[in-house]
């Protein structure tokens, strides 16, 4: 077992072995299907997407009605929430929770991601698909590669460049760094247009250019430069914090998987994921991603079915003795920050001129 799999994770101190039988997920899937939880929910998504679209229209009307005033900063706050909800809508479209057909899903994704958010749908979907296949895998999950942060002590010991500079104090820097998340997604989207994996680089690039031409054009036409810049800063910073705060509780602080670890699909998804309790408000705030375990097991399951699936999945895991981790929103962030702090410990020791710790 890779030492990183044992680091600072709620629940057991080690990942359990795979049982001899290999149909545990199949039996859970049969229970979920029998409960009718995989069928599409067109009315739900019509109402949800309609509400998000209406909110965007209201923000647009309010923007032009307010005109040249610092009250626009309050509108930037509201628009950051709308952008966050658009990102969650893109996520559901990418997983085909809304439409069964690929073309409809891709069309919706290109509109919400590229045109409305300024983020490449194709690039993000490729990245997110790899994450779902190997969550928290140190070599295969792009979300835990040490690009800026380090997620295990092994990564910290090998860190160079930006991760080495930031990793030592990444826990207190985590939320300030999230203010740049929206801009980082847009930058990565433009950079990805040159990658061979991009299927429609011209279309995606055109939509991205239209988005930013409209975004900056409207702001700098309607507002003086100082107010336009302030609007962009507040909007992008809060959008990044919102988006990062929705995704951070899902896996950070849960066991990391090393190259030699062998887990079946059910255990790989359950043991590396964390659910967040909190009721209807959290369901809306996180767009259903608070049921992260169920979402990873059944990515195409519509959001409103996840709550019932959670009850079935937790009971099934109890039958098999599989640890199932669920906590509150604040506690989930504490666990994630504690993990980031522990992961960066080798870098703090190195910066202090101390020998490497034997604590793995």
């Amino acid at each position: 077992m890779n030492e990183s799999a044992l680091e600072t994770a709620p629940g057991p101190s080690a990942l359990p072995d795979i049982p001899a039988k290999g149909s545990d997920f199949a039996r859970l899937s049969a229970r979920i299907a029998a409960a009718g939880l995989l069928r599409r929910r067109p009315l739900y998504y019509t109402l949800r997407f309609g509400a998000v679209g209406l909110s965007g229209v209201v923000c647009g009307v309010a923007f032009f009605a307010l005109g040249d005033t610092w009250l626009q900063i309050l509108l930037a706050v509201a628009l950051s929430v709308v952008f966050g909800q658009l990102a969650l809508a893109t996520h559901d479209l990418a997983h085909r929770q809304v439409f069964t057909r690929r073309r409809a899903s891709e069309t919706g994704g290109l509109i919400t991601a590229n045109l409305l958010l300024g983020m490449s749908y194709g690039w993000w979907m490729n990245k997110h698909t790899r994450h779902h296949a190997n969550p928290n895998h140190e070599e295969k999950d792009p979300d835990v590669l040490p690009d800026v942060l380090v997620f295990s002590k092994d990564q910290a010991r090998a860190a160079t460049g930006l991760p080495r500079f930031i990793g030592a104090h990444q826990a207190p820097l985590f939320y300030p760094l999230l203010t740049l998340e929206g801009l980082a997604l847009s930058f990565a989207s433009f950079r990805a247009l040159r990658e061979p994996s991009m299927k429609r680089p011209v279309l995606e690039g055109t939509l991205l250019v239209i988005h930013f031409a409209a975004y900056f054009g409207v702001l700098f036409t309607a507002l003086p430069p100082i107010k336009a810049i302030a609007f962009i800063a507040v909007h992008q910073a809060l959008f990044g914090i919102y988006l990062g705060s929705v995704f951070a509780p899902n896996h950070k602080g849960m066991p990391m998987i090393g190259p030699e670890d062998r887990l079946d699909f059910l255990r790989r998804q359950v043991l590396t994921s964390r659910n967040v309790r909190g009721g209807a408000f959290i369901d809306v705030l996180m767009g259903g991603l608070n049921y992260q375990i169920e979402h990873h097991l059944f990515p195409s399951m519509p959001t409103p079915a996840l709550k019932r699936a959670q009850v079935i999945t937790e009971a099934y895991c109890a039958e098999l003795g599989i640890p199932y981790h669920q906590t509150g929103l604040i506690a989930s962030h504490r666990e994630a920050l504690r993990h980031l702090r522990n992961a960066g410990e080798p870098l703090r020791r190195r910066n202090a001129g101390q020998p490497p710790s034997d604590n793995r």
Side-chain angles (χ1 to χ4, degrees):
M1 185 70 63
N2 189 302
E3 65 185 50
S4 59
L6 312 180
E7 294 177 2
T8 317
S13 59
L15 300 173
D17 295 331
I18 305 173
K21 53 192 176 184
S23 58
D24 290 337
F25 175 71
R27 284 193 293 275
L28 173 61
S29 185
R31 295 186 188 184
I32 292 294
L37 300 181
L38 297 176
R39 63 182 176 82
R40 293 296 179 267
R41 307 294 178 92
L43 178 60
Y44 165 81
Y45 280 108
T46 299
L47 294 174
R48 175 178 162 186
F49 287 9
V52 176
L54 180 60
S55 299
V57 170
V58 169
C59 286
V61 171
F63 176 84
F64 289 106
L66 286 173
D68 181 4
T69 170
W70 283 106
L71 290 176
Q72 294 282 12
I73 299 302
L74 297 178
L75 195 59
V77 175
L79 194 61
S80 69
V81 178
V82 173
F83 266 48
Q85 287 293 317
L86 281 171
L88 293 170
T90 301
H91 173 271
D92 288 7
L93 286 163
H95 281 294
R96 295 200 203 177
Q97 297 175 15
V98 185
F99 305 110
T100 56
R101 296 192 175 183
R102 174 175 296 178
R103 181 166 297 237
S105 299
E106 288 183 348
T107 300
L110 288 169
I111 292 171
T112 55
N114 292 64
L115 190 60
L116 298 180
L117 287 177
M119 178 187 76
S120 166
Y121 175 76
W123 163 76
W124 179 84
M125 187 172 179
N126 177 275
K127 174 176 177 286
H128 195 63
T129 299
R130 288 184 285 131
H131 157 72
H132 263 263
N134 292 282
N136 274 17
H137 192 290
E138 288 198 65
E139 296 182 353
K140 297 180 180 180
D141 183 356
D143 289 353
V144 295
L145 295 179
D147 294 329
V148 177
L149 306 177
V150 293
F151 298 95
S152 72
K153 291 182 179 178
D154 284 345
Q155 290 183 348
R157 294 183 187 104
T160 59
L162 192 58
R164 178 174 179 174
F165 177 73
I166 290 178
H169 305 288
Q170 60 186 9
L173 289 174
F174 180 67
Y175 295 107
L177 287 171
L178 286 184
T179 63
L180 303 174
E181 180 66 14
L183 296 174
L185 291 173
S186 296
F187 176 78
S189 296
F190 276 106
R191 187 175 58 186
L193 294 176
R194 301 175 61 182
E195 295 179 0
S197 60
M198 288 291 288
K199 297 179 181 178
R200 302 177 181 86
V202 175
L203 174 60
E204 292 217 29
T206 300
L207 292 175
L208 288 173
V209 170
I210 292 173
H211 167 83
F212 283 104
Y215 181 76
F216 291 120
V218 168
L219 286 173
F220 282 98
T221 299
L223 298 176
I226 187 66
K227 290 177 182 173
I229 292 171
F231 186 101
I232 294 168
V234 171
H235 173 226
Q236 293 295 331
L238 293 182
F239 169 52
I241 290 174
Y242 179 23
L243 199 60
S245 295
V246 167
F247 283 91
N250 300 339
H251 301 282
K252 288 180 175 58
M254 298 303 292
M256 298 285 288
I257 299 176
E260 73 278 12
D261 295 329
R262 298 292 181 267
L263 296 171
D264 66 354
F265 178 79
L266 177 67
R267 287 158 180 80
R268 184 166 69 249
Q269 303 299 341
V270 173
L271 295 171
T272 60
S273 303
R274 176 196 291 107
N275 276 12
V276 177
R277 292 188 295 262
F281 174 74
I282 296 298
D283 288 356
V284 173
L285 182 72
M286 299 186 68
L289 294 183
N290 45 312
Y291 301 105
Q292 188 68 194
I293 294 172
E294 289 68 35
H295 169 61
H296 261 254
L297 290 170
F298 305 98
S300 63
M301 180 182 290
T303 297
L306 291 168
K307 186 174 183 179
R308 284 185 61 197
Q310 187 277 323
V311 176
I312 296 172
T313 303
E314 184 177 19
Y316 184 70
C317 287
E319 290 177 22
L320 298 181
I322 300 174
Y324 181 102
H325 189 54
Q326 189 171 213
T327 187
L329 180 63
I330 302 301
S332 70
H333 279 263
R334 285 187 186 138
E335 291 175 1
L337 291 174
R338 188 183 308 121
H339 174 78
L340 289 175
R341 175 173 174 75
N342 288 343
E345 189 251 350
L347 289 170
R348 291 193 297 276
R349 295 184 67 87
R350 181 193 300 176
N351 293 344
Q354 299 174 354
S357 172
D358 290 334
N359 179 13
R360 296 182 180 274

